[in-house]
Amino acid sequence: MKIGMIGLGKMGGNMRERLRRAGHEVVGFDLDESLRDVDSVEAMVEALEPPRLVWVMVPHGKPTRSTVETLGELLSEGDLVVEGGNSKFTEDVELDAILAPKGIGYVDCGVSGGIWGLDNGYGLMCGGRPEHVEVAMPIFDALRPEGPREEGFVHAGEVGAGHYAKMVHNGIEYGLMHAYAEGYELLAAKDIVTDVKGCFQAWSRGTVVRSWLLDLSVKALEETPELEGISEYTTDSGEGRWTLEEGIEMAVPMPVLAAALFARFASRQENSPAMQMVAALRGQFGGHAVRMLEDDLGEGQVEVHRAAEPKDDTGEKRVGDEGGAAPDADDAGPSSGSGSTGGPEGPTSGSGDVDDRG
């Protein structure tokens, strides 16, 4: 099968290669001249034979919308667009509304697998009309992991359902990551535990907490023992926020995701105003000593365990802190795959860095 692909970054580029390994012909466009096969979206479309299939793999929001609008002008009735980035499910309905009057199909597809997907395959969650999903099935089968289709692919429902499923997937991912992180810190804090990485590695077979994220935790500890030098500053992609917003909208309690997401917010603050107020209130109602920024710890008082560094409240920026505000959910890049836009409008490459894509 011959398809076009827009966005050849860390995810898109590997997906192009996996499709080619499976015998499909891919004509790719990217803003990065070193990555692309053709010099323009127009040239990409011209290289395809009707009915055409174009996979869009660029950051969500304006870049994706601009790309889809461009394709709406270039493609014809019977063609199909697959949006494989991390658009919010509500945006999918709007994008479908742009293409449907022209007779152009639209399928949204959440993609999980990160940089490992090239060799391991990608978990795929798609939404759209059955006839459009069926057209793209040879591509889905080439991208998903080997084995039963239902263990790596789902047609989750109508337009928007694929990205909704991926959004919830990433919300779960936030909680799992934070659970492992808390377990790691407790092991590291206890003086009788001398092999923290070994504990994580021992859990990788035969235990109920084994998972790919656990395997990646072991890998991280192998590459950076005791995680020395890694800043705690942790961004979020927007999907965790969207999931929590949906939980509120649907009256679904999500305390685990909320705690994990808010912990990421806390990681970006050198000195939390909220906790400053807590400390001040303890001083007001209980007469407890309020530690000022220049104070030292009391003699014999353990405030920070052995595996952690005391918070530096001298006003110095934390390692990895660029000094900018955290992105709003509407402006944040995808948690997985596409990365920086290279500009406010698409079509775009999606070849920049990413924070996490599960």
Side-chain angles (χ1 to χ4, degrees), residues 143-313:
L143 289 173
R144 67 175 176 81
E146 295 181 3
R149 179 184 286 172
E150 62 271 17
E151 293 182 4
F153 169 86
V154 62
H155 179 192
E158 55 194 63
V159 169
H163 281 143
Y164 195 93
K166 179 58 165 53
M167 177 192 73
V168 175
H169 166 281
N170 280 29
I172 293 171
E173 179 185 293
Y174 275 48
L176 291 174
M177 291 171 68
H178 203 73
Y180 286 129
E182 290 181 353
Y184 166 77
E185 182 168 356
L186 187 57
L187 287 171
K190 192 65 175 176
D191 56 3
I192 62 173
V193 178
T194 58
D195 188 358
V196 177
K197 181 186 78 68
C199 292
F200 268 55
Q201 194 161 9
W203 296 343
S204 63
R205 290 182 181 271
T207 76
V208 297
V209 299
R210 64 188 185 276
S211 74
W212 186 34
L213 283 174
L214 179 64
D215 295 340
L216 293 177
S217 299
V218 174
K219 186 174 185 295
L221 291 169
E222 288 174 345
E223 293 177 351
T224 312
E226 299 181 354
L227 306 182
E228 185 176 358
I230 295 178
S231 170
E232 68 169 304
Y233 192 105
T234 306
T235 60
D236 68 284
S237 63
E239 287 185 307
R241 303 186 191 203
W242 300 342
T243 309
L244 192 56
E245 288 168 0
E246 277 296 294
I248 295 170
E249 178 69 22
M250 303 301 293
V252 174
M254 307 192 79
V256 172
L257 169 58
L261 179 61
F262 294 155
R264 294 194 183 195
F265 293 174
S267 79
R268 305 166 198 163
Q269 298 181 352
E270 188 60 60
N271 197 46
S272 166
M275 294 312 297
Q276 285 179 298
M277 177 58 77
V278 170
L281 286 172
R282 290 183 77 247
Q284 291 294 324
F285 74 73
H288 302 288
V290 178
R291 182 185 175 200
M292 304 307 289
L293 295 181
E294 67 275 10
D295 286 350
D296 293 325
L297 292 175
E299 184 177 356
Q301 181 179 352
V302 178
E303 295 280 358
V304 182
H305 64 73
R306 67 189 184 116
E309 294 182 25
K311 181 172 286 294
D312 179 7
D313 284 327

Side-chain angles (χ1 to χ4, degrees), residues 330-346:
D330 289 340
D331 297 328
S335 64
S336 68
S338 305
S340 67
T341 67
E345 302 296 334

